[in-house]
Amino acid sequence: MRHHAWTTAMPGVFVLLWSTGFIGAKFGLPYAEPFTFLALRFIVVIALLTVVVLASKAVWPRNPRLIAHLAVSGILVHAIYLGGVFGAIRHGVPAGLVALVAGLQPLLTAAVVGPLLGERVGGRQWLGLGLGLIGVAMVLSTRLTGVRFDGFGWDGMSFAVAALLAITGGTLYQKRFCTGMDLRTGTLVQYLAALAVSLPVAMAFETMEIRWTLPFVLALGWLVLVLSLGAISLLMTLIRLGEAAKVASFFYLVPPVTAVLAFALFGEALTPLALAGMAATAVGVALVVQRPSVRSCDSAAAAGRSRTGRPAPG
């Protein structure tokens, strides 16, 4: 019973924790450059995970191919996605606009899950995905009013687009190749790979200077414990348990929840249009995840064999 309740609550907890990432970045980035911040974050996470792995005697992956897959997934989900988000904000792109770009992930995921994972996206899901996108745009349009779009260039937007492609590709890659990993050692391998990318970038292109202020320390601690350990573990578990399109649809809820957090922490007003957009987003996600309307091609074929005794046509 408890396990079922936790499984039911897991998506909501994930969305809430993941939404705090933009808040943590807003607090921490004024005191460190993006990849310097990420490298330090990864070092602390690796140290903590190493203690957990040794204390629990977790099993290390022995298959070189699985280790390589974990490394690729870690670079996409941690190094490139987070580097893209942090880099975009650092280059002056409004956090709301970065969230809007990342909010395209569910549609991008749905467009490619068929060829890559053999999942079929039904009409109801496409409707939900589209409604979710409209809701995200409604929420963020109220936050972008008056923003000077000439305050940043293509370099900043390229970071945001890289983040979108990385989180989309990373979740799909994780679902395709890494679902059999031990969550403790597998995540550790992923962060080691992410550090191997982010640290050289920081050394080559940044000063690596850090202003050790209380806001920076608090932001670092939050991003390490709540995001890098908590939210990422939930994401990997959700990917293991559900279809890629369903998991991706939860990201539609991140910008609205971020807007609520910004209202609570920074006093940013929520207009009626923003509230309507949140409602549209919630309905869109419900259409995607309410019923198992997405079936893999393998499952459909198996169902056909069970009914007729012969392979399903097609």
Side-chain angles (χ1 to χ4, degrees):
M1 182 66 69
R2 288 183 178 180
H3 176 73
H4 177 72
W6 169 238
T7 302
T8 303
M10 195 182 301
V13 175
F14 164 74
V15 168
L16 178 61
L17 296 184
W18 194 268
S19 300
T20 63
F22 287 107
I23 305 299
K26 185 172 182 177
F27 276 116
L29 277 175
Y31 309 103
E33 294 163 292
F35 285 92
T36 299
F37 193 176
L38 284 179
L40 178 61
R41 173 178 171 179
F42 294 153
I43 289 172
V44 177
V45 171
I46 288 169
L48 294 176
L49 276 177
T50 300
V51 173
V52 172
V53 167
L54 294 177
S56 62
K57 299 180 180 180
V59 178
W60 287 92
R62 298 179 180 179
N63 188 331
R65 182 173 296 179
L66 176 58
I67 295 175
H69 287 320
L70 290 169
V72 172
S73 176
I75 291 171
L76 290 171
V77 173
H78 303 304
I80 302 180
Y81 168 68
L82 293 176
V85 170
F86 281 28
I89 295 175
R90 183 77 174 194
H91 280 75
V93 182
L97 184 56
V98 179
L100 177 59
V101 174
L104 298 175
Q105 184 206 350
L107 284 177
L108 189 57
T109 298
V112 298
V113 290
L116 291 182
L117 300 181
E119 296 180 10
R120 296 178 58 189
V121 181
R124 173 181 291 182
Q125 284 192 301
W126 279 114
L127 176 61
L129 291 165
L131 186 59
L133 179 61
I134 293 172
V136 169
M138 291 170 65
V139 172
L140 294 179
S141 65
T142 63
R143 301 181 65 197
L144 296 177
T145 301
V147 171
R148 288 176 55 85
F149 288 95
D150 58 353
F152 56 90
W154 286 106
D155 51 352
M157 284 304 298
S158 65
F159 275 106
V161 173
L164 166 64
L165 297 177
I167 192 63
T168 303
T171 52
L172 291 172
Y173 198 94
Q174 178 78 21
K175 177 67 177 179
R176 178 66 177 84
F177 297 108
C178 307
T179 53
M181 75 176 193
D182 182 285
L183 195 59
R184 296 156 296 181
T185 55
T187 303
L188 181 54
V189 171
Q190 290 178 324
Y191 277 117
L192 286 168
L195 178 63
V197 171
S198 60
L199 183 58
V201 172
M203 295 174 65
F205 300 103
E206 298 178 352
T207 65
M208 299 193 70
E209 295 181 0
I210 299 174
R211 294 168 55 195
W212 290 96
T213 64
L214 180 59
F216 176 78
V217 173
L218 293 177
L220 177 64
W222 182 268
L223 293 176
V224 166
L225 297 176
V226 177
L227 270 295
S228 293
L229 296 179
I232 288 295
S233 297
L234 287 175
L235 175 61
M236 299 307 171
T237 303
L238 287 169
I239 292 173
R240 179 183 298 178
L241 296 177
E243 293 95 343
K246 287 185 178 180
V247 174
S249 69
F250 294 127
F251 284 87
Y252 269 152
L253 295 174
V254 172
V257 174
T258 302
V260 173
L261 293 175
F263 168 76
L265 294 174
F266 307 116
E268 295 183 6
L270 291 174
T271 66
L273 181 62
L275 295 174
M278 292 180 192
T281 299
V283 173
V285 172
L287 288 173
V288 176
V289 303
Q290 182 180 19
R291 300 175 67 180
S293 57
V294 175
R295 298 192 304 169
S296 69
C297 294
D298 292 339
S299 298
R305 287 194 297 269
S306 65
R307 288 192 302 266
T308 64
R310 299 185 304 276

